[in-house]
Every structure is written in C-alpha cells, then in structure tokens.
Amino acid sequence: MPNWTEPGLIDVPTHRDALGALGVVERADPFPFPVKRVYFLYDVPSDAVRGSHAHKALNQLIIAVSGSFSVTLDDGAARRDFRLNRPSLGLVVPPGYWRTLHDFSSGSAALVLASEEYDPADYIRDYDEFVEWTRRG
Ligand code: TYD
C-alpha cells in the first residue's frame, strides 16, 4: 500500500453484483485528500504520449475507467512502468514524479482525481529542470 510519498497501485473499493460494478473513491479511502478537481482523458490516439511533466505539490489518483493505458513515473533517478487495465485499479501519483501516459487502447478513458485546483505554476514541463528540482530537494 503506497503511503502517498511513493507511487503504487491500489485497489479501488468496488461493489459488484449481477447488475454490474460500482467503484467508489472517498476522501479517506483510498484518496486521503479532498478532491479539488477531477479531469478525464479520452479519444487519445494509441501513439500519443500525454503528460510529460511533473508536479511540485499535486497528489493524483489515476484510474483507467475504460480500456487500458500505461503510466511511466520517473523520480529523476529511476523509472517505473504501470499498466492500468481495469477500473478497480488506481495508480497513486505523489508530487515530484515526471509522468508520461502512453499506449492507450482504443476507447480507453483515464479518470484523474486531483488534490489541488488547476495551477500552471505547480507544473515542471522541462525534464532537465525537473532533474535539477529533484536534486535541490
Ligand atoms: P495538459 O496538461 O497538456 O494535458 P496532459 O498533461 O494530460 O497531456 O493539458 C491539456 C490542456 O488542458 C492544456 O491547455 C491545459 C488544460 N487543462 C486545464 O485547463 N485544466 C486542467 O485541470 C488540466 C489538467 C488541463
């Protein structure tokens, strides 16, 4: 279970019965922050690479609510790849990780829960600047 300083996969509490499945994300479980923003990505071409930035303070939970895609997280020293391929799986993304979202399947959709409102000043969009930022601590 990630402690929100390390990225990792978590199970999204899901209620499944004969009528289908219902996933729930609440503040305490599994997202320990107020959700100040929700956004979603869809119609992403399979060869597109989204993201390519880091956040200084933002915590996010990413869920493939349809289809599948991959997320690569880079802390400036090492990279980890995660494949999100079912709605009952969430990827914890703490601040300080360069992220790319890629290899979207046809018809896939990414739901992102965010701990902060949209703030362009929270973004680092240059990789070299990001590595410098991680070294400054
Ligand atoms: P961008 O950050 O480039 O998307 P991604 O990192 O997923 O590839 O955002 C695309 C556009 O959407 C850009 O013009 C900024 C805008 N945007 C908002 O206005 N609010 C938001 O909460 C987000 C995430 C993006």
Side-chain angles (χ1 to χ4, degrees):
M1 178 71 183
N3 58 10
W4 292 89
T5 58
E6 288 290 325
L9 296 169
I10 58 169
D11 290 323
V12 174
T14 301
H15 303 267
R16 181 178 284 282
D17 61 25
L19 302 180
L22 186 155
V24 184
V25 177
E26 285 192 270
R27 174 170 175 171
D29 178 19
F31 193 68
F33 306 98
V35 177
K36 293 195 182 165
R37 179 163 52 108
V38 172
Y39 65 91
F40 40 96
L41 295 166
Y42 59 99
D43 284 349
V44 181
S46 60
D47 60 352
V49 177
R50 307 256 350 184
S52 300
H53 62 254
H55 286 283
K56 298 173 187 169
L58 187 72
N59 286 278
Q60 293 177 307
L61 183 66
I62 304 177
I63 299 171
V65 286
S66 177
S68 60
F69 53 86
S70 296
V71 184
T72 300
L73 298 179
D74 177 342
D75 65 3
R79 286 186 189 163
R80 289 174 68 186
D81 290 313
F82 300 90
R83 185 76 184 166
L84 294 178
N85 56 8
R86 55 183 189 275
S88 60
L89 204 54
L91 177 63
V92 166
V93 185
Y97 286 86
W98 186 268
R99 85 283 314 275
T100 55
L101 284 72
H102 51 96
D103 292 307
F104 285 79
S105 70
S106 171
S108 59
L111 179 69
V112 184
L113 290 87
S115 65
E116 305 297 335
E117 290 167 18
Y118 181 58
D119 177 10
D122 189 60
Y123 282 71
I124 305 172
R125 291 194 176 273
D126 179 86
Y127 185 77
D128 293 338
E129 193 185 316
F130 165 66
V131 173
E132 274 299 305
W133 181 83
T134 61
R135 287 182 185 154
R136 283 202 300 270

